[in-house]
Amino acid sequence: MTEEPTTRDRLVLAATRLFRQRGYDGTGLTEILTEAGVPKGSLYHHFPDGKADLACAAADWTASEIIRVIDDSFRAAPDWRQGITTFCYKMAKLFDILNSADACPIFGLLFEGPDHDRFRAQAERSLDRIIAAAARYGEGLGMPPETAQDAAETFIIGFQGSWTLARTRRKSDVLRGLPARLYGPTM
Amino acid sequence: MTEEPTTRDRLVLAATRLFRQRGYDGTGLTEILTEAGVPKGSLYHHFPDGKADLACAAADWTASEIIRVIDDSFRAAPDWRQGITTFCYKMAKLFDILNSADACPIFGLLFEGPDHDRFRAQAERSLDRIIAAAARYGEGLGMPPETAQDAAETFIIGFQGSWTLARTRRKSDVLRGLPARLYGPTM
DNA sequence: AAAAGACTAGACCGATTGGTCTAATCATGC
DNA sequence: GCATGATTAGACCAATCGGTCTAGTCTTTT
């Protein structure tokens, strides 16, 4: 049988979804609590620093999700470009599911709030985890470490920019077109 | 003698700066008013819709500023890559001036607030103005219109992604490295 | 079964939010 | 010098903000 999700998990999930849609400052604690079906006392028990803790947990959770998609995309990929392409198509599908409107699941939440530098550091950590995951697949496909790191960074830059443009235009095809922009058209 | 800036201009300028630093929801009206040295009544006279109007004006103003930098970068550029490179260096300098911390002056403010779709439309308009400005220079340098549009979009995607990564890592060199990522290393 | 700590529950708090409204002041045309 | 519309000035408002705190309920250990 399916496990009942813990109070903590319900909080993180609700917070992730709401932060993605309305941003950190745009989301009220009450809203998160209502959505999660959790009283205020529980929040401050699991996350003593309240909203800020919750945001960091949401960022961590999101990074892990993205890495999971990277894993799924590269596991059977014969080369780097194919892995990236699969990733972009998967994310385009997710984009469509999310109403074409949500913030990039990884950055959106991390440049707001009073605790600016704590959030920046958290974003850097999450981002580096993602880049490292991609770079590892680059190395596995024969790239020297430095090249792999560089390729992974270029990919993340392109993905971040594409997601933003896709969101602005409400067109997931922007995401699907990224590999052609980065590596030229397929012959 | 230098003209005293109008009340309206002081409002837009203060709002732009604050939205860039703290985001739309993270910035209070009082804060903007204090910084601009303007009472509340004046705000609602010049911007009947209040904060939302102000955000749109700030986005417009920012787009114009970016287009001015594009103009400065391409005016004397012998080719596309040189224009982009100059732009990236100029923006890297701006990035350093801005404490390496501000949101991308164009997108940061536009995916928050209650009036989601109005903001999205405003972002699209501002972004299209910027892309069109860049594409025009591409055509002037001999590209067919379609190619120029595509090159301009790729450039904006890369720039947006690079700005975000630069912000996360607090390193303006990410911006300076963009041309090499997009067009290969210079020989 | 009693004690202890983990966890839930929500009333309550001062501060701040964006926005409204009235009164005063300014500039300008007659 | 008077009238008129544009603009400034800021007191005031209900609603919401994130956070604290006390009381109560579980679960686990002994």
Side-chain angles (χ1 to χ4, degrees), chain B residues 27 29 40 44 51:
Chain B
T27 306
L29 273 192
K40 221 167 222 183
Y44 282 90
K51 208 185 180 188

Side-chain angles (χ1 to χ4, degrees), chain B residues 20-39:
Chain B
R20 217 162 46 198
Q21 287 182 347
R22 313 198 219 296
Y24 180 81
D25 290 309
T27 306
L29 273 192
T30 322
E31 215 174 348
I32 299 175
L33 263 12
T34 304
E35 164 123 356
V38 161

Side-chain angles (χ1 to χ4, degrees), chain B residues 9-56:
Chain B
D9 285 347
R10 268 184 296 141
L11 276 171
V12 174
L13 227 65
T16 302
R17 205 181 66 76
L18 285 165
F19 284 156
R20 217 162 46 198
Q21 287 182 347
R22 313 198 219 296
Y24 180 81
D25 290 309
T27 306
L29 273 192
T30 322
E31 215 174 348
I32 299 175
L33 263 12
T34 304
E35 164 123 356
V38 161
K40 221 167 222 183
S42 303
L43 166 64
Y44 282 90
H45 173 76
H46 293 288
F47 301 94
D49 258 355
K51 208 185 180 188
D53 269 352
L54 209 42
C56 289

Side-chain angles (χ1 to χ4, degrees), chain A residues 88-98 172 175-176:
Chain A
C88 287
Y89 273 69
K90 280 181 188 295
M91 292 304 280
K93 197 171 166 186
L94 175 65
F95 179 91
D96 286 329
I97 293 172
L98 294 177
S172 54
L175 292 167
R176 286 182 265 262

Side-chain angles (χ1 to χ4, degrees), chain B residues 1-180:
Chain B
M1 57 196 79
T2 57
E3 284 288 323
E4 183 79 7
T6 65
T7 301
R8 191 179 189 280
D9 285 347
R10 268 184 296 141
L11 276 171
V12 174
L13 227 65
T16 302
R17 205 181 66 76
L18 285 165
F19 284 156
R20 217 162 46 198
Q21 287 182 347
R22 313 198 219 296
Y24 180 81
D25 290 309
T27 306
L29 273 192
T30 322
E31 215 174 348
I32 299 175
L33 263 12
T34 304
E35 164 123 356
V38 161
K40 221 167 222 183
S42 303
L43 166 64
Y44 282 90
H45 173 76
H46 293 288
F47 301 94
D49 258 355
K51 208 185 180 188
D53 269 352
L54 209 42
C56 289
D60 257 340
W61 187 86
T62 304
S64 300
E65 283 297 300
I66 290 185
I67 290 172
R68 217 177 41 74
V69 180
I70 290 180
D71 286 337
D72 288 349
S73 305
F74 273 94
R75 191 168 297 123
D79 57 34
W80 175 258
R81 180 182 182 141
Q82 191 52 245
I84 296 297
T85 303
T86 306
F87 177 84
C88 288
Y89 273 69
K90 279 181 187 296
M91 292 305 281
K93 198 171 165 188
L94 174 65
F95 179 91
D96 286 330
I97 293 172
L98 293 177
N99 275 335
S100 316
D102 286 10
C104 173
I106 184 63
F107 291 107
L109 22 141
L110 285 173
F111 286 104
E112 304 176 73
D115 217 343
H116 188 101
D117 202 64
R118 175 176 175 199
F119 281 9
R120 202 216 98 256
Q122 172 69 51
E124 189 170 12
R125 231 174 298 129
S126 297
L127 185 63
D128 283 344
R129 276 175 60 208
I130 294 173
I131 291 177
R136 223 172 297 125
Y137 284 104
E139 291 190 47
L141 290 165
M143 297 180 184
E146 209 172 312
T147 310
Q149 173 74 17
D150 195 65
E153 285 181 7
T154 298
F155 150 60
I156 275 297
I157 285 174
F159 178 70
Q160 157 65 22
S162 299
W163 186 279
T164 306
L165 183 58
R167 211 150 72 96
T168 308
R169 296 209 172 136
R170 298 222 242 213
K171 300 243 306 183
S172 54
D173 278 341
V174 177
L175 293 168
R176 295 190 188 87
L178 178 61

Side-chain angles (χ1 to χ4, degrees), chain A:
Chain A
M1 59 196 79
T2 57
E3 284 287 325
E4 183 80 6
T6 66
T7 301
R8 206 194 121 96
D9 285 347
R10 269 185 296 141
L11 277 171
V12 174
L13 226 64
T16 303
R17 207 181 64 76
L18 285 165
F19 285 155
R20 218 162 46 197
Q21 286 182 348
R22 313 197 220 298
Y24 180 82
D25 290 310
T27 305
L29 273 192
T30 321
E31 215 173 348
I32 299 175
L33 262 13
T34 304
E35 164 124 357
V38 161
K40 222 166 222 182
S42 303
L43 166 63
Y44 284 90
H45 173 75
H46 292 287
F47 301 94
D49 258 354
K51 208 184 178 186
D53 270 351
L54 209 41
C56 289
D60 258 339
W61 188 87
T62 303
S64 299
E65 282 297 300
I66 290 185
I67 290 171
R68 218 178 39 75
V69 180
I70 290 179
D71 286 338
D72 288 347
S73 305
F74 273 94
R75 190 169 298 121
D79 57 35
W80 175 259
R81 180 183 182 139
Q82 192 52 246
I84 297 297
T85 303
T86 305
F87 178 84
C88 287
Y89 273 69
K90 280 181 188 295
M91 292 304 280
K93 197 171 166 186
L94 175 65
F95 179 91
D96 286 329
I97 293 172
L98 294 177
N99 274 336
S100 315
D102 286 10
C104 173
I106 183 65
F107 290 108
L109 23 141
L110 284 174
F111 286 105
E112 304 177 72
D115 218 342
H116 189 102
D117 203 64
R118 176 177 174 200
F119 281 8
R120 202 216 99 255
Q122 171 69 53
E124 189 171 13
R125 232 174 299 127
S126 297
L127 185 63
D128 283 345
R129 275 176 59 209
I130 294 172
I131 291 177
R136 224 172 296 125
Y137 284 104
E139 291 189 47
L141 289 164
M143 296 181 185
E146 209 173 312
T147 310
Q149 173 76 16
D150 195 65
E153 285 181 7
T154 299
F155 149 62
I156 274 297
I157 286 174
F159 178 71
Q160 156 67 22
S162 298
W163 185 279
T164 306
L165 183 59
R167 211 151 70 98
T168 308
R169 297 209 170 137
R170 300 221 240 212
K171 301 242 305 181
S172 54
D173 278 341
V174 176
L175 292 167
R176 286 182 265 262
L178 178 61
R181 282 188 203 277
L182 290 178
Y183 313 118
T186 48
M187 296 302 155

